């Protein structure tokens, strides 16, 4: 009671989605010409290389950390927001966490990542925003897949196709996926069936549960596929579908707490 709500910034231009992957676009464990590190500011800038008509991207950020901290992603050349996109709590050793975020592009079509602790970052892109493309239609959340319902884990490196119930004309799906109680550290990949990307959607520790949002194109027969790196249960929920006729568009705001 009595608290003051923050003032939101002016929305950017509305954008529609074009699916592009998922593709791994950068990995700080490798030397890459499109990455620039500023040690004085603890910031990594990624020159995305997307054309000028691209407003932003859906980027899945994975952080490999040996210390607890967080990562903030924002449009290059703008004021760094007091918000975070990914938080990582490390008790011992290395911990990998991932989170999907829509991030607008800034100066030089770049995205800047602020880090509060030493971390390696991996970025995978599943879609980009522009003046043309597909819009979103939301639906009531619905569970489309749960391996626990049959009591059989997904086997390591197996591929499971999931019919997401997409209406005729749909091109992609918005939802969430959970990786549940693996016997060892690993990851789960979600991708259009019929493709074979080298990406991960969720990173999960042994005997834990982790979840992440998904924005993924539909593949063969309108399905999306799941591939775990180790044996685990998985759950997939759907919250909306993308199509050329979808009405909802993306309008970026300055991240605000």
């Amino acid at each position: 009671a009595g608290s003051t709500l923050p003032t939101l910034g002016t929305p950017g231009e509305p954008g529609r989605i074009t699916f592009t992957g998922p593709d791994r676009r950068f990995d700080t464990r490798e030397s890459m010409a499109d990455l620039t590190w500023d040690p004085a500011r603890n910031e990594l800038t990624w020159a995305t290389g997307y054309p000028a008509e691209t407003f932003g991207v859906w980027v899945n950020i994975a952080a490999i950390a040996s210390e607890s901290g967080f990562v903030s992603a924002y449009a290059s050349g703008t004021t760094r927001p007091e918000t975070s996109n990914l938080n990582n709590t490390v008790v011992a050793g290395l911990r990998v966490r991932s989170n999907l975020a829509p991030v607008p592009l800034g100066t030089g079509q770049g995205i800047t990542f602020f880090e509060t602790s030493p971390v390696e970052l991996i970025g995978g892109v599943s879609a980009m925003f522009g003046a043309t493309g597909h819009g979103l239609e939301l639906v009531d959340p619905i569970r489309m897949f749960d391996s626990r319902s049959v009591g059989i884990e997904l086997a390591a490196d197996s591929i499971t196709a999931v019919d997401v119930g997409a209406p005729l004309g749909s091109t992609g799906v918005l939802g969430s996926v959970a990786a549940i109680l693996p016997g060892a550290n690993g990851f789960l990949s979600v991708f259009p069936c019929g493709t074979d990307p080298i990406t991960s959607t969720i990173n999960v520790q042994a005997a834990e549960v982790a979840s992440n949002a998904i924005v993924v194109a539909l593949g063969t027969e309108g399905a999306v596929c799941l591939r775990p790196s180790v044996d685990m249960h998985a759950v997939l929920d759907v919250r909306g579908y993308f199509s050329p006729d979808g009405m909802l568009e993306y309008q970026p705001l300055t991240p605000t707490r």
Side-chain angles (χ1 to χ4, degrees), residues 16-17 21 37 45 54 66 76 79 104 107 112 134 139 149 155 163 190 192-193 201 208 212 228 230 235 237 240 242:
R16 299 178 69 80
I17 197 170
W37 172 247
T45 295
T54 303
S66 57
S76 297
T79 301
T107 302
T112 296
H134 299 172
V139 297
S149 64
D163 181 353
V190 183
C193 292
T201 306
E208 291 189 357
N212 198 2
V230 298
V235 170
D237 298 334
F242 295 96

Side-chain angles (χ1 to χ4, degrees), residues 24 26-32 35 44 62-64 94 96 119-123 198 200 203:
R24 178 168 293 180
F26 69 84
D27 186 338
T28 60
R29 296 171 299 179
E30 304 173 2
S31 177
M32 304 185 74
L35 297 177
L44 175 77
I64 306 171
L94 292 176
V96 186
V119 66
E120 299 283 5
L121 292 181
I122 302 171
I198 305 175
S200 63
N203 299 85

Side-chain angles (χ1 to χ4, degrees), residues 95-224:
R95 186 177 180 91
V96 186
R97 295 293 299 273
S98 50
N99 191 47
L100 180 71
V103 184
L105 303 183
T107 302
Q109 294 297 87
I111 295 174
T112 296
F113 301 88
F114 170 71
E115 308 165 4
T116 62
S117 61
V119 66
E120 299 283 5
L121 292 181
I122 302 171
V125 172
S126 58
M128 58 185 182
F129 299 102
T132 61
H134 299 172
L136 175 66
E137 293 292 341
L138 293 175
V139 297
D140 291 335
I142 182 171
R143 181 147 295 175
M144 290 296 185
F145 178 80
D146 188 342
S147 63
R148 298 171 301 178
S149 64
V150 294
I152 301 175
E153 291 183 323
L154 303 185
D157 296 322
S158 66
I159 296 178
T160 300
V162 177
D163 181 353
V164 294
L168 185 66
S170 298
T171 54
V173 64
L174 167 70
S176 62
V177 66
I180 301 171
L181 304 177
N185 296 347
F187 62 85
L188 178 66
S189 298
V190 183
F191 53 93
C193 292
T195 66
D196 189 23
I198 305 175
T199 59
S200 63
T201 306
I202 308 173
N203 299 85
V204 61
Q205 305 292 112
E208 291 189 357
V209 178
S211 61
N212 198 2
I214 56 170
V215 170
V216 59
L218 301 180
T220 306
E221 297 182 353
V224 301

